Amino acid sequence: MNEGASRLAPRPAAGVPQTRRDRDALRRERMAAPLDFRSTGPSRAQARPRPGDRPGTAARTARPRVGPGSARSGAGVAAGPSAGGRTAQPARPRPKQQRQALTAWGVLLTVTGPTVAAAVLEAMVTGDVHWFFDLVFIAASFHAATLVRRRDLLAGVIVPPLAYCVGLLTAVQFGVMRAGHGLVGQATSLGALLAVKPRPLFLGTALAAALIAIRWVGMRYTTKRQSRLNA
């Protein structure tokens, strides 16, 4: 009877100390063993919630680091904080530089200056005014018509004939078709030059007038469109 009872009784598991001395020895071995941090719990990448944090802040992922080259290219500037702890602001685009517009006096200088210089140079070299003087006058008139401001558009049409006459008078002073001295002689020489060379005057003035008309129509169209949008 005792043998059957001993067979049916549960046996102690293998490796489990039964006596108090064995249990104390096993406890001392565990205390002396090195600590193992490789656990199956939550990883370090997940931030542990703090007592004062709101719910859901622990699930936030780490912000991407900004590389040294991303600051130059502009990519990832706003992704993470800067070195001082503040969020870096994206670089603002630079405003486009507007070209400088010419006033009425600016148009006068822009057209008259090159025209007179060309007349002096050609009169000293060839003793007359030819194609070089004509090309300089036409180019200066067209260039001034493109740069004149809106309030002085009319100056782009008035100034070229005046500048052409001043250039011819300058050529007369250097002996080009000089009819005599005094105001009468210079007026006669100017009339003779205008009769001989009328095409450059008409061509330069016509190009400037056409460009001024196109700019005026575009300005009126833009103004009406803006008024419709504002209304």
Side-chain angles (χ1 to χ4, degrees), residues 19-29:
T19 62
R20 183 175 182 181
R21 182 180 301 175
D22 296 339
R23 288 195 296 269
D24 293 342
L26 181 61
R27 188 181 298 110
R28 285 192 295 268
E29 290 180 2

Side-chain angles (χ1 to χ4, degrees), residues 114-133:
T115 303
V116 171
V120 172
L121 181 61
E122 195 165 17
M124 293 178 63
V125 174
T126 63
D128 200 352
V129 284
H130 296 288
W131 58 270
F132 181 72
F133 171 77

Side-chain angles (χ1 to χ4, degrees), residues 151-177:
R151 290 184 295 177
D152 297 327
L153 287 178
L154 193 59
V157 184
I158 298 175
V159 170
L162 299 177
Y164 189 77
C165 294
V166 172
L168 292 180
L169 284 176
T170 305
V172 169
Q173 302 301 324
F174 285 85
V176 178
M177 295 185 65

Side-chain angles (χ1 to χ4, degrees), residues 4-74:
S6 62
R7 291 178 181 180
L8 295 176
R11 295 182 179 181
V16 178
Q18 297 297 329
T19 62
R20 183 175 182 181
R21 182 180 301 175
D22 296 339
R23 288 195 296 269
D24 293 342
L26 181 61
R27 188 181 298 110
R28 285 192 295 268
E29 290 180 2
R30 290 180 178 179
M31 293 178 64
L35 297 178
D36 187 7
F37 294 97
R38 294 175 297 177
S39 60
T40 59
S43 60
R44 299 181 183 179
Q46 298 180 353
R48 297 182 180 179
R50 298 180 181 179
D53 293 342
R54 297 179 181 178
T57 55
R60 296 179 181 178
T61 57
R63 297 181 179 180
R65 297 181 180 180
V66 181
S70 61
R72 299 180 180 178
S73 60

Side-chain angles (χ1 to χ4, degrees), residues 96 100 107 117-118 121 138 141 147 163 178 218 221 231:
K96 298 182 179 180
Q100 298 180 357
V107 174
L121 181 61
I138 294 173
S141 301
L147 297 180
R178 190 166 188 176
Y221 177 75

